[in-house]
Amino acid sequence: MNSKEFNDKVVSLSPKIFPMVARILDNREDARDAVQEVMMKLWEKRKQLGKQENLNGYVFLTARNYCIDRQRTNKRKINGSGKNTQAGLIDNIKVKEDVSLENRESYSLIINLINNLPDNQKEVILLRDVDGLEFDEIITLTGYKIENIRVWLSRARKRISRELTEIHSYERGTA
C-alpha cells in the first residue's frame, strides 16, 4: 500500500474512529494523540494492510485494542487507584454546552438507559448508534455474529423506546 492509498483508505477513517477512542479514553486530547499513534502503527504495517478483507474493521479493532492497552498501562502506573472505565461505556460523554436544557435532560436520560442495558446490547448500540459503525466493522471489532448483533441492537432499541415511553407517559399523567 503506497502513501496515497494509505491516506485514502486508512487516514480518512480518523474522524470516524475518534468518537470511539474519545469515549474509551475519556479525554479528547488523549484521544487525538491515540488516533495519531494508531495511524503511525498502521503506517508501519501498511504492506500487510492491503491483504485485509475488512480494512475498516481492522482499523477500528486496532484503535480499540490500542486504547485498551493504554488504559491497562495507565492502571498499572497508578496502581489500581484510578477510575475503572471499560471500553463501551458512555458514562463520560458530555452534552454540548449549546444544547437546550430539555434536550440535555433527554440526552442524560438516554445515556442512563443505555448504561442499564446488558453489556452485549450496550456495546452494540454504542458502536452502531453512537459511533456510527457499519455492521461489518462491528463484526470485526467484537467478533460477534451478524445475527447476534442485529438481535441485540433491536432489543436494545426496543427497550430504550419502551422505557422512554413509560417515563414520558408517567410525566404526562397517562400511565
Side-chain angles (χ1 to χ4, degrees):
M1 180 176 285
N2 64 34
S3 175
K4 180 170 177 14
E5 288 176 318
F6 184 81
N7 283 333
D8 292 345
K9 295 179 180 177
V10 178
V11 175
S12 64
L13 295 173
S14 295
K16 199 168 178 184
I17 65 172
F18 180 79
M20 176 188 68
V21 171
R23 182 171 34 85
I24 293 171
L25 296 179
D26 187 30
N27 183 312
R28 295 182 69 78
E29 292 302 318
D30 288 347
R32 286 187 186 97
D33 294 342
V35 170
Q36 291 273 332
E37 289 292 324
V38 168
M39 291 300 139
M40 288 177 19
K41 287 180 179 287
L42 291 168
W43 173 253
E44 292 170 3
K45 296 180 179 182
R46 68 187 174 278
K47 292 179 183 173
Q48 295 89 18
L49 293 180
K51 300 172 187 170
Q52 292 296 324
E53 285 183 33
N54 182 352
L55 183 60
N56 290 6
Y58 183 79
V59 171
F60 278 93
L61 184 62
T62 302
R64 178 180 177 222
N65 290 343
Y66 176 83
C67 293
I68 291 169
D69 289 345
R70 189 165 170 169
Q71 283 184 318
R72 287 181 187 145
T73 302
N74 288 342
K75 284 181 184 179
R76 278 189 225 123
K77 285 180 184 175
I78 57 176
N79 296 325
S81 63
K83 183 169 73 173
N84 182 18
T85 58
Q86 296 178 12
L89 297 181
I90 61 169
D91 293 326
N92 303 311
I93 292 179
K94 308 293 188 280
V95 180
K96 293 181 181 178
E97 295 293 324
D98 59 346
V99 175
S100 71
L101 182 60
E102 183 178 323
N103 287 339
R104 281 178 191 240
E105 290 174 2
S106 295
Y107 188 79
S108 295
L109 178 61
I110 291 170
I111 289 172
N112 289 334
L113 292 174
I114 290 174
N115 276 328
N116 290 325
L117 291 170
D119 289 340
N120 51 12
Q121 292 178 17
K122 183 186 330 181
E123 182 177 19
V124 170
I125 200 167
L126 287 172
L127 292 172
R128 180 71 176 157
D129 293 344
V130 176
D131 294 338
L133 302 185
E134 299 298 326
F135 284 109
D136 61 335
E137 296 166 337
I138 296 171
I139 291 168
T140 302
L141 194 59
T142 62
Y144 299 145
K145 293 181 180 179
I146 185 69
E147 297 82 12
N148 294 352
I149 292 170
R150 289 183 188 277
V151 167
W152 292 331
L153 185 59
S154 174
R155 288 179 182 167
R157 288 174 175 166
K158 285 179 185 175
R159 180 173 169 180
I160 290 171
S161 175
R162 184 179 66 246
E163 290 180 12
L164 280 173
T165 301
E166 289 174 10
I167 290 168
H168 289 301
S169 65
Y170 176 77
E171 289 174 353
R172 287 189 298 258
T174 59

